[in-house]
Amino acid sequence: MNTILKNALLPAIALAVSSGAFAAGEHSGGHHGGNAVGEPGKAEDVSRTIEVTMRDNYYEPESVNVEPGETIRFHVKNEGSLVHEFNIGTAEMHEAHQEEMQMMVEHGVLKGDQINYEMMEMDMGNGHSMKHDDPNSVLLEPGDNKEIIWTFTEAADLEFACNVPGHYQAGMYGDIEFE
Amino acid sequence: MKRQLLAAVFGGLFTVVVNAAEYNISVDRVQIDTGDFVKEGIGYNGASPGPVLRFKEGEEVTINVTNNLDEMTSIHWHGLILPFEQDGVPGISFPGIKPGETFTYQFPIVQAGTYWFHSHSGFQEPNGAYGAIVIEPEGREPFRYDREYVVQLTDKHPHSGDRIMRNLKMSADYYNRQQQTASDFFAESSKKGFMAALQDRMMWGDMRMMKADIEDVQGFTGLINGKGPEQNWTGLFEPGERIRLRFINSSAMTYFDIRIPGLEMTVVQADGNNVQPVNVDEFRIGVAETYDVIVRIKDEKAYTIFAESMGRSGFARGTLAPEEGMTAEVPELREAPLLTMSDMGGHMDHGDMSDDDMADMNGDDMAGMDHSAMGHDSMDQGDGASMPADPFYAKGSGLIPTASNGGKFLSYADLKAQNPLYEDREPTREIELRLTGNMERYEWSINGTKYEDADPIVLQYGERVRFKFVNETMMTHPMHLHGMWSILDVGEGKWNPLKHVISVAPATTVYMETEVDAPGEWAFHCHLSYHAASGMFRKIVVEGGPDTTMAEGTQNGQQGGES
């Protein structure tokens, strides 16, 4: 892609990505109230840690059980050979986020097994960047691992999902069951 | 006759699954009812298509094939990696199976995915001798689904294969119903002027080609799992399920553009090999290719599987439905595409145009395009930012596919291996194969030489060969190498996908690489039945390797141009 075109396109992506899946969720979290998806949790509230392994293209485990109000530390590691995401949200949020990630792929920010961090970090002006830094999500290259601490404020229809294009459709998602 | 009919009916209902590691297949005369016509043909276990063979990766299979015909037959296991004596090509792998004889195939299953099998003798395959192979993997698949269906397509013609070949030899446009007529000519001349239109026609005449030469053999009925559009093959589902559809194109001559209006499809396998999943609205399946897609249906309604032929002269149709008998709207065929000057490229060797003429019409030299330079940058080639041109078609080609809903149409450029089988390495050498032909005489060849006049291509065990296909004809050729994988160069290095058929569009150059890891003698040919039979075919000899004595044992076998 030539530089001029790239520069012309990037601000559009930056806007799209930074508006993010989390924001989208606040609109579609819907019938359970404004914040059904939950919120970033505090380390001192963590009741337990759930280990999540990413493989190509599925998770182990493929479902988790939580209680309303519970704060969980998800320790997510990517043992596959492709980039994967772990994202907590509703099916609608995931769908919206997939379109953004499709753009990241089309513009070379996201390759099969690599994330172009430099390109993601670039300041696009107006405080926008292409950082994939929503608190409900981690995006990992093969071999990497990260944590998410999340408080499930109330019971809702939630899934954890990989929104790398095609991965969700291939079956890379799991249910979050409320007890 | 009555007995055969009964067998066909019985077979049709219960063709489903044979599960043991030993299989029996009979090759039989059968009736094929397309809904449009009933035709005597050839099938397996009393039906066409034959059974779905279900193998398991890692098992050793024994397949007893009994020839109930009064002519020689054979079965080729399309896409399977196996010892060459088991590959089923008469005159190359083995002598063939005589009438009344039972031949026992035995080989290990070393792969997983969707494949198929067919006769490699005469025109038995277009006459109905084909079936599906489904191989369950040893480990977990990189995707999940609740149920699966084989969706096997063919282009059933009312004429027998022999008759079609005779007619094509007599007149190459015998089955081309979409020739431009005199009134097309006058419409064209009022648009661009008489002289321009005349010159255009004369140039195409020199090529011995016509703009509508996309499908050699029209007048077929498209079948899905043996059922014509009116017979409407139907796969049932429960709403909410994820369904894996294993598309196999077993046509003699026809490429299909496949869509399921209202559903997005996620492509997870190409030619039996897992690919990084791609969401598409529509895809083109070349002759002998397979694509596995996953669809998720949430609502309780029917969806049409619509497969239009690339030249829009026919279609196949099936339905996914929550209940038997439910149907969805069947779309109209879209307008037939016309080839353009771009599809002529710069390589026609049988026209008598001067170099000046060639220069005039060949402003964009896509024929020499370099696919290794593709990748994400190919995005820039599009007319609009949202719709990149497919780099596997000549720029300006009339064949560039578009999705009917304006969405995503799968390109070869989207195919990336999910888990590469081979280390990426530099090829040891390059072999150029020009795909050539004379349309008027219906002669098809490689590097200008027909099979019977050509020496075999000799490869050395252990080398990695880069094949350069240069399509100098105006037809699309699905090139099929037996016995070894074709690593399609989509410009993604180690992620380049493994295939067994590489479709080469008119006036394009496409590269594939092959790890030469299978000793013996193999067939390599265009999978269009009548192109293979008229000479677009080569024998490959792999010298050396762990098993050289066996390879030498059969070298005096007769020529086997049958496909």
Side-chain angles (χ1 to χ4, degrees):
Chain A
M1 192 185 297
N2 68 54
T3 323
I4 295 170
L5 186 57
K6 204 181 283 177
N7 288 342
L9 284 170
L10 284 184
I13 308 169
L15 279 170
V17 176
S18 60
S19 72
F22 187 49
E26 289 176 292
H27 299 294
S28 52
H31 48 278
H32 289 288
N35 213 13
V37 66
E39 59 194 26
K42 296 191 190 86
E44 60 263 33
D45 298 335
V46 168
S47 59
R48 60 197 166 108
T49 298
I50 295 178
E51 298 285 339
V52 176
T53 304
M54 297 164 151
R55 301 195 186 276
D56 301 325
N57 299 317
Y58 58 95
Y59 297 103
E60 286 170 358
E62 285 192 315
S63 70
V64 298
N65 293 308
V66 300
E67 284 171 28
E70 197 178 11
T71 298
I72 308 265
R73 173 185 284 118
F74 291 96
H75 179 233
V76 186
K77 53 183 192 295
N78 184 354
E79 296 197 348
S81 56
L82 303 172
V83 171
H84 294 296
E85 189 200 28
F86 176 85
N87 186 318
I88 298 165
T90 63
E92 295 75 25
M93 286 165 66
H94 294 313
E95 202 173 314
H97 189 39
Q98 282 155 28
E99 288 174 25
E100 297 162 3
M101 294 198 71
Q102 178 67 42
M103 290 176 69
M104 292 170 75
V105 168
E106 284 171 6
H107 297 101
V109 179
L110 196 56
K111 304 251 187 188
D113 57 348
Q114 287 166 42
I115 302 163
N116 188 335
Y117 287 106
E118 209 173 296
M119 207 161 163
M120 288 174 82
E121 300 287 336
M122 265 190 293
D123 182 2
M124 308 308 302
N126 299 327
H128 293 301
S129 78
M130 295 201 297
K131 269 188 199 165
H132 186 277
D133 59 357
D134 295 314
N136 60 334
S137 158
V138 292
L139 185 63
L140 299 178
E141 284 188 347
D144 282 358
N145 69 94
K146 268 186 190 166
E147 285 183 359
I148 290 184
I149 296 175
W150 195 256
T151 300
F152 295 92
T153 44
E154 57 185 290
D157 275 340
L158 296 182
E159 295 172 341
F160 54 96
C162 174
N163 295 307
V164 171
H167 291 199
Y168 182 93
Q169 287 76 7
M172 192 164 181
Y173 58 83
D175 285 327
I176 298 173
E177 315 264 11
F178 284 85
E179 283 165 352
Chain B
M1 176 57 73
K2 197 163 198 176
R3 194 187 55 80
Q4 283 168 347
L5 262 175
L6 261 176
V9 169
F10 191 81
L13 286 172
F14 296 94
T15 42
V16 224
V17 187
V18 222
N19 260 323
E22 183 157 346
Y23 306 85
N24 296 308
I25 295 178
S26 60
V27 188
D28 307 310
R29 297 241 166 243
V30 298
Q31 297 278 329
I32 298 171
D33 177 4
T34 67
D36 292 337
F37 57 88
V38 178
K39 174 80 190 153
E40 177 110 333
I42 294 171
Y44 294 120
N45 294 352
S48 172
V52 176
L53 297 177
R54 289 189 183 259
F55 301 151
K56 197 162 166 32
E57 185 180 10
E59 77 181 352
E60 178 96 15
V61 296
T62 300
I63 309 164
N64 306 306
V65 178
T66 300
N67 182 1
N68 292 334
L69 309 178
D70 54 8
E71 61 190 49
M72 296 285 283
T73 195
S74 58
I75 294 184
H76 166 59
W77 316 99
H78 185 109
L80 296 205
I81 300 300
L82 37 63
F84 81 97
E85 307 90 329
Q86 305 297 318
D87 196 45
V89 181
I92 294 182
S93 337
F94 76 145
I97 309 171
K98 290 188 194 124
E101 194 180 272
T102 297
F103 182 86
T104 299
Y105 290 88
Q106 196 161 31
F107 51 89
I109 301 296
V110 298
Q111 64 204 105
T114 304
Y115 303 89
W116 60 298
F117 63 97
H118 59 82
S119 169
H120 225 284
S121 299
F123 296 111
Q124 292 173 359
E125 180 216 302
N127 291 349
Y130 66 93
I133 297 173
V134 169
I135 309 175
E136 185 190 327
E138 278 178 321
R140 189 199 193 283
E141 292 187 281
F143 44 81
R144 51 184 163 132
Y145 51 91
D146 302 301
R147 68 172 78 207
E148 59 162 300
Y149 290 107
V150 165
V151 182
Q152 194 164 21
L153 296 144
T154 196
D155 53 353
K156 187 64 203 153
H157 204 280
H159 293 176
S160 73
D162 285 328
R163 183 168 167 197
I164 291 171
M165 188 79 254
R166 277 198 305 276
N167 288 336
L168 287 168
K169 281 286 185 189
M170 203 166 63
S171 162
D173 57 10
Y174 190 94
Y175 293 102
N176 188 343
R177 299 176 172 190
Q178 290 176 338
Q179 288 180 41
Q180 291 185 302
T181 60
S183 63
D184 287 337
F185 175 76
F186 288 115
E188 204 175 316
S189 22
S190 67
K191 239 191 292 176
K192 50 175 154 177
F194 180 77
M195 283 315 288
L198 184 64
Q199 204 173 8
D200 184 67
R201 284 300 164 96
M202 286 170 69
M203 199 179 284
W204 286 85
D206 282 343
M207 293 292 178
R208 313 280 183 253
M209 291 289 288
M210 289 154 294
K211 288 178 179 181
D213 272 337
I214 294 166
E215 286 168 352
D216 287 4
V217 183
Q218 300 175 13
F220 57 85
T221 297
L223 306 185
I224 288 180
N225 297 338
K227 304 236 186 266
E230 291 307 313
Q231 297 164 330
N232 189 28
W233 174 84
T234 299
L236 298 179
F237 66 89
E238 299 279 343
E241 280 184 329
R242 306 158 53 73
I243 307 156
R244 175 185 191 169
L245 301 173
R246 300 173 181 268
F247 286 98
I248 305 168
N249 188 355
S250 299
S251 294
M253 296 298 283
T254 305
Y255 280 51
F256 287 100
D257 292 347
I258 297 174
R259 67 186 197 266
I260 308 175
L263 291 183
E264 181 177 62
M265 300 178 277
T266 302
V267 178
V268 294
Q269 274 188 358
D271 289 1
N273 292 287
N274 292 329
V275 292
Q276 294 177 31
V278 193
N279 301 325
V280 301
D281 295 286
E282 193 167 341
F283 65 95
R284 176 167 291 174
I285 187 168
V287 169
E289 289 186 315
T290 75
Y291 287 97
D292 285 40
V293 310
I294 290 177
V295 295
R296 189 180 196 183
I297 309 184
K298 292 177 179 162
D299 41 6
E300 192 162 355
K301 59 178 248 198
Y303 289 88
T304 296
I305 299 172
F306 193 58
E308 281 172 292
S309 73
M310 180 165 72
R312 308 291 184 248
S313 69
F315 67 97
R317 171 249 188 160
T319 301
L320 296 174
E323 274 174 53
E324 199 67 57
M326 283 177 74
T327 58
E329 192 192 338
V330 180
E332 296 283 308
L333 280 172
R334 283 171 287 182
E335 201 178 325
L338 291 175
L339 296 171
T340 67
M341 288 297 176
S342 305
D343 295 306
M344 284 187 188
H347 292 280
M348 300 299 289
D349 58 354
H350 51 262
D352 42 16
M353 301 196 319
S354 70
D355 286 348
D356 288 349
D357 288 337
M358 294 305 277
D360 280 346
M361 54 173 248
N362 195 29
D364 297 308
D365 187 16
M366 287 302 280
M369 67 185 285
D370 179 6
H371 283 291
S372 61
M374 293 178 335
H376 297 294
D377 291 350
S378 61
M379 302 290 300
D380 292 351
Q381 295 175 3
D383 295 322
S386 62
M387 200 56 67
D390 188 325
F392 283 87
Y393 292 87
K395 200 172 186 177
S397 166
L399 293 175
I400 299 172
T402 53
S404 78
N405 65 353
K408 169 70 184 169
F409 200 108
L410 182 74
S411 162
Y412 267 4
D414 298 316
L415 299 177
K416 294 173 196 107
Q418 167 78 27
N419 186 14
L421 181 65
Y422 297 105
E423 294 272 315
D424 192 29
R425 60 165 176 151
E426 283 296 307
T428 45
R429 62 179 165 134
E430 181 173 295
I431 295 176
E432 182 174 280
L433 300 174
R434 292 181 298 111
L435 309 179
T436 46
N438 182 314
M439 187 67 182
E440 192 181 36
R441 281 181 287 173
Y442 210 80
E443 284 178 357
W444 300 96
S445 52
I446 293 172
N447 293 337
T449 308
K450 293 193 297 181
Y451 180 53
E452 61 251 45
D453 303 326
D455 293 326
I457 297 169
V458 179
L459 307 179
Q460 301 303 318
Y461 183 86
E463 67 176 338
R464 180 178 174 119
V465 176
R466 183 168 174 85
F467 288 99
K468 178 184 186 183
F469 293 115
V470 183
N471 188 351
E472 298 184 0
T473 76
M474 296 183 55
M475 302 221 58
T476 310
H477 302 287
M479 300 304 295
H480 173 46
L481 172 62
H482 291 222
M484 291 165 279
W485 290 114
S486 299
I487 307 170
L488 172 66
D489 187 353
V490 299
E492 292 286 337
K494 69 170 176 176
W495 301 110
N496 284 338
L498 293 189
K499 296 191 87 269
H500 50 60
V501 170
I502 304 288
S503 179
V504 188
T508 62
T509 297
V510 175
Y511 295 90
M512 73 170 202
E513 294 181 8
T514 293
E515 289 285 353
V516 182
D517 56 3
E521 303 193 356
W522 303 99
F524 187 17
H525 58 96
C526 174
H527 217 287
L528 301 182
S529 296
Y530 307 104
H531 290 195
S534 59
M536 195 175 263
F537 197 115
R538 280 293 184 278
K539 178 157 91 174
I540 298 258
V541 176
V542 176
E543 289 183 344
D547 223 359
T548 46
T549 48
M550 281 165 107
E552 279 156 14
T554 57
Q555 261 176 8
N556 44 12
Q558 72 204 72
Q559 292 276 60
E562 302 156 301
S563 62

